[in-house]
């Protein structure tokens, strides 16, 4: 190849290097994206498994709790002669439970068994009571015999129930009770039969991607549920045919024993196509829930992208070769002159070697390409700068809008006018997730509130703005807990990002000093009576807002007297840290408030902020910071109400 033009040689070498580098990059990118897709599938599998396991555990736990409750109420319902009716009622209410079997011995006749049996049928119930032990089903008896011998509560092995022609599992619970209010005692056992067919239908109804599915296996590998009905209780994971599983038995044992993992399978329901199966354990029974995702579904887009990259590589390499041939046939004179000038510049030699003329062509092409790249870089840099300025402007506007919603920080009203309040608001960034407000609900009731949204930045600020609007909307009425419950209910709607708001909200009757308040997971409030002995209002009346829409909240009432103060704050104060990483903390804040309690609201607030700033002097603010110091003085109440209503 040495006799070929230099441009041709350079093109060949560049093409080879490009193929190698692009091939390595494609290989790395393919595997990296493949791993990302696999992790995403694993995350999806965990989510699906959590949902299914929660449902299965719910059904199994319900069966356990009902069984235990029946044992505790047995004597009572036996004396009322309605125990069979209770069993039938429970069977009608719980679709997954098919029968109850109870054997009990009472102390007044300990040798005579009391046998209760109730079974759900398609057309109703079959129930009976007898004074002798009966065998209703030999399959059930076969399962119960070793459990009665062990006399320990627990779940049986799955079995096929011939009575209902379905698969089932039994929860066995032995009991013995002595009743203090009577001299009676009872012992025996209760068995609750749960339909595996019901669990199978419930699991199969769960979507796993487009084509995937989920199933249950026991701790020994036996299939308990499966899309192929013949597998259930008849097929074992460790005896799968080679076309279904091609790995080692050690891998399968890890699959069964680990809490979470994956394995490659080729399941029959998906025509033995390659799939990845993730598994999770159900702690209640030791069963394993497996979710199966087809490879073709998971990696379809990735393989399509790889095919496009290969085609583009072929086209690009072909273009390089064609360009090289074209370059080698171009007019040599301008290119030779470029080469000559470069040669003269570098060596002060006027000699010219015509064998290197094509090198100049390649160099000129590179310079043009570099210039285009540089121009593109400059354009991108200008665009990035413009976007940065625009974002900064939008954030500044958002900050101004938020500050227009929240009352400005500083002193409100004057001492002696009836209400004196000083507020501080310092966001960690341009916008904040903190919330505080105070306004007159009617002529004699003042609403005051402070809260903190989880997280920070724009999302928290937006959630704060929504919460503030709802507080304003539901402020009518004088019950703090009613306002909090209403705001919580609307915040829970469409709260897909799971934001929540800690909130302290109180309603003050400015005539008699009655302060009705509700604390929804917020920091405590400090109450400083006129006598100076500080109280900490640390009672929590419910969870933060935005988590559970039906949550009921409590409330408390405090009677404020002349000169009483309330200090409210967000955790941005107590979470401040010093150089040693130590938090300012509630203890230090409480001691500081106790020392400053005789000052005015402004003096107390400014001293608190000064101490916090000094404590965290060399540290960045980790959180938004808000503080309200409020003093009650019941003089000239009508003028106060008029002032705050403006």
């Amino acid at each position: 190849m040495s006799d070929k033009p230099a441009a041709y040689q350079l093109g060949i070498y560049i093409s080879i290097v490009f193929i190698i580098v692009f091939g390595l990059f494609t290989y790395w990118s393919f595997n990296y994206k493949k791993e990302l897709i696999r992790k995403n599938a694993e995350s999806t599998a965990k989510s699906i498994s959590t949902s299914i396991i929660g449902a299965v555990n719910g059904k199994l736990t319900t069966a356990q709790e009902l069984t235990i409750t029946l044992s505790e109420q047995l004597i009572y319902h036996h004396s009322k002669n309605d125990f069979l009716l209770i069993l039938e009622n429970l069977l009608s209410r719980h679709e997954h439970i098919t029968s109850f079997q109870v054997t009990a011995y009472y102390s007044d006749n300990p040798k005579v068994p009391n046998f209760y049996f109730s079974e759900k049928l398609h057309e109703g119930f079959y129930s009976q009571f007898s004074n002798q032990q009966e065998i209703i089903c030999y399959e059930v008896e076969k399962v119960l015999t070793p459990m009665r011998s062990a006399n320990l509560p627990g779940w049986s092995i799955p079995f096929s129930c011939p009575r209902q022609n379905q698969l089932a599992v039994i929860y066995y619970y032995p009991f013995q009770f002595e009743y203090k209010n009577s001299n009676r005692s009872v012992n025996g056992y209760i068995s609750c039969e749960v339909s595996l067919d019901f669990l199978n239908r419930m699991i199969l109804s769960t979507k796993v991607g487009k084509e995937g599915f989920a199933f249950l296996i026991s701790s020994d590998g036996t299939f308990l549920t499966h899309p192929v009905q013949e597998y259930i209780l008849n097929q074992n994971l460790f005896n799968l045919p080679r076309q279904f599983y091609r790995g080692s038995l050690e891998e399968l044992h890890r699959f069964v024993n680990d809490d979470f993992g994956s394995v490659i399978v080729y399941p029959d329901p998906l025509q033995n196509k390659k799939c990845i199966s993730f598994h999770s354990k159900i702690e209640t029974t030791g069963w394993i829930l497996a979710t199966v995702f087809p490879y073709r579904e998971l990696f379809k887009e990735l393989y399509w992208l790889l095919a496009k990259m290969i085609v583009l590589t072929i086209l690009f390499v072909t273009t390089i070769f064609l360009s090289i041939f074209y370059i080698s046939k171009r007019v040599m004179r301008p290119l030779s002159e470029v080469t000559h000038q470069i040669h003269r510049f570098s060596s002060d030699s006027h000699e010219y070697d015509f064998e290197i003329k094509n090198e100049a062509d390649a160099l000129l092409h590179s310079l043009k390409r570099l210039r285009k790249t540089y121009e593109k870089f400059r354009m991108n840099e200008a665009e990035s700068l413009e976007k940065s300025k625009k974002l900064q402007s939008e954030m500044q506007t958002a900050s101004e809008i938020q500050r227009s919603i929240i009352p400005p920080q500083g002193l409100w009203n004057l001492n002696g006018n009836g209400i004196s309040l000083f507020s501080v608001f310092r966001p960690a960034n341009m916008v904040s997730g903190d919330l505080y407000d105070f306004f007159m609900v009617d002529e004699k009731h003042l609403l005051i509130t402070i809260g903190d949204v989880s997280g920070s930045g724009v999302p928290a600020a937006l959630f704060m703005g929504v919460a503030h609007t709802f507080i304003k909307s539901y402020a009518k009425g004088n019950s703090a807990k009613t306002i909090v419950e209403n705001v919580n209910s609307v915040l829970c709607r469409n709260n897909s990002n799971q934001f929540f708001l800690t909130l302290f909200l109180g309603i003050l009757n400015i005539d008699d000093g009655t302060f009705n308040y509700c604390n929804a997971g917020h920091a405590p409030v400090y109450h400083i009576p006129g006598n100076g002995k500080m109280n900490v209002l640390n009672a929590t009346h419910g969870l933060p807002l935005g988590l559970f829409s039906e949550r009921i909240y409590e409330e408390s009432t405090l009677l404020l007297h002349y000169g009483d103060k309330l200090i409210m704050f967000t955790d941005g104060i107590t979470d401040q840290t010093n150089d040693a990483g130590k938090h300012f903390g509630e203890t230090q804040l409480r001691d500081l408030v106790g020392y400053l309690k005789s000052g005015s609201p402004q003096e107390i607030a400014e001293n608190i902020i000064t101490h916090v700033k000094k404590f965290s002097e060399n540290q960045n603010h980790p959180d938004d910071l808000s503080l309200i110091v409020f003093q009650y003085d019941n003089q000239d109440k009508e003028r106060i109400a008029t002032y705050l209503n403006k």
Side-chain angles (χ1 to χ4, degrees), residues 46 121 175 182 244 261 273 308 369 431 474:
K46 286 182 178 179
L121 302 174
F175 59 86
S182 67
F244 298 157
K273 299 295 184 181
K308 290 195 292 186
R369 187 170 55 191
V431 291
Y474 292 101

Side-chain angles (χ1 to χ4, degrees), residues 370-525:
L370 181 60
R371 182 177 179 180
K372 290 180 180 179
T373 303
Y374 176 71
E375 291 297 329
K376 185 177 180 180
F377 169 77
R378 290 182 58 188
M379 292 175 62
N380 291 339
E381 186 178 27
E383 290 177 1
S384 298
L385 182 61
E386 186 65 25
K387 289 179 180 179
S388 177
K389 291 180 178 179
K390 183 178 179 181
L391 178 61
Q392 186 73 14
S393 175
E394 291 175 350
M395 290 294 292
Q396 181 64 38
T397 302
S399 176
E400 293 171 0
I401 292 174
Q402 183 180 39
R403 289 180 181 273
S404 69
I405 295 174
I406 298 176
Q409 64 175 354
L411 182 64
W412 287 78
N413 214 338
L414 300 173
N415 289 328
N417 284 351
I419 294 174
S420 180
L421 185 149
F422 193 87
S423 62
V424 178
F425 174 67
R426 295 188 179 180
N429 300 304
M430 296 188 72
V431 291
S432 167
D434 274 10
L435 160 73
Y436 75 81
D437 202 359
F438 42 89
F439 55 88
M440 295 298 297
V441 178
D442 53 35
E443 294 181 356
K444 65 176 183 178
H445 290 95
L446 169 70
L447 184 148
I448 183 167
T449 185
I450 188 168
D452 187 7
V453 177
S454 60
S456 60
V458 175
L462 291 174
F463 193 83
M464 181 277 291
V466 172
H468 180 270
T469 301
F470 289 140
I471 291 173
K472 287 275 191 180
S473 299
Y474 292 101
K476 295 299 181 182
N478 303 322
S479 172
K481 79 164 191 172
T482 301
I483 298 173
V484 171
E485 287 176 353
N486 289 333
V487 174
N488 175 62
S489 177
V490 293
L491 286 180
C492 288
R493 299 174 189 168
N494 301 320
N495 186 11
S496 58
N497 291 317
Q498 293 296 300
F499 285 107
F500 61 86
L501 167 68
T502 65
L503 186 73
F504 180 92
L505 186 144
I507 304 291
L508 173 66
N509 186 321
I510 61 175
D511 285 343
D512 59 16
T514 302
F515 185 68
N516 172 250
Y517 65 92
C518 176
N519 187 331
H522 195 68
V525 171

Side-chain angles (χ1 to χ4, degrees), residues 40 78 255 264 272 380 401 404 438 498 516 558 607 634:
N40 183 59
H78 175 75
F255 183 85
I264 302 299
N272 304 125
N380 291 339
I401 292 174
S404 69
F438 42 89
Q498 293 296 300
N516 172 250
L558 176 69
N607 272 287
N634 62 355

Side-chain angles (χ1 to χ4, degrees), residues 23 30 87 441:
F30 176 83
L87 296 181
V441 178

Side-chain angles (χ1 to χ4, degrees), residues 112-150:
V112 177
N114 288 264
F115 179 78
Y116 309 85
F117 178 78
S118 185
E119 179 179 20
K120 185 189 300 179
L121 302 174
H122 293 295
E123 64 278 2
F125 300 97
Y126 170 70
S127 302
Q128 72 174 71
F129 170 75
S130 175
N131 288 120
Q132 65 179 30
Q133 184 77 30
E134 294 190 23
I135 298 177
I136 300 298
C137 174
Y138 284 100
E139 285 297 324
V140 173
E141 189 67 18
K142 188 189 301 182
V143 171
L144 285 179
T145 297
M147 300 185 77
R148 285 198 294 260
S149 299

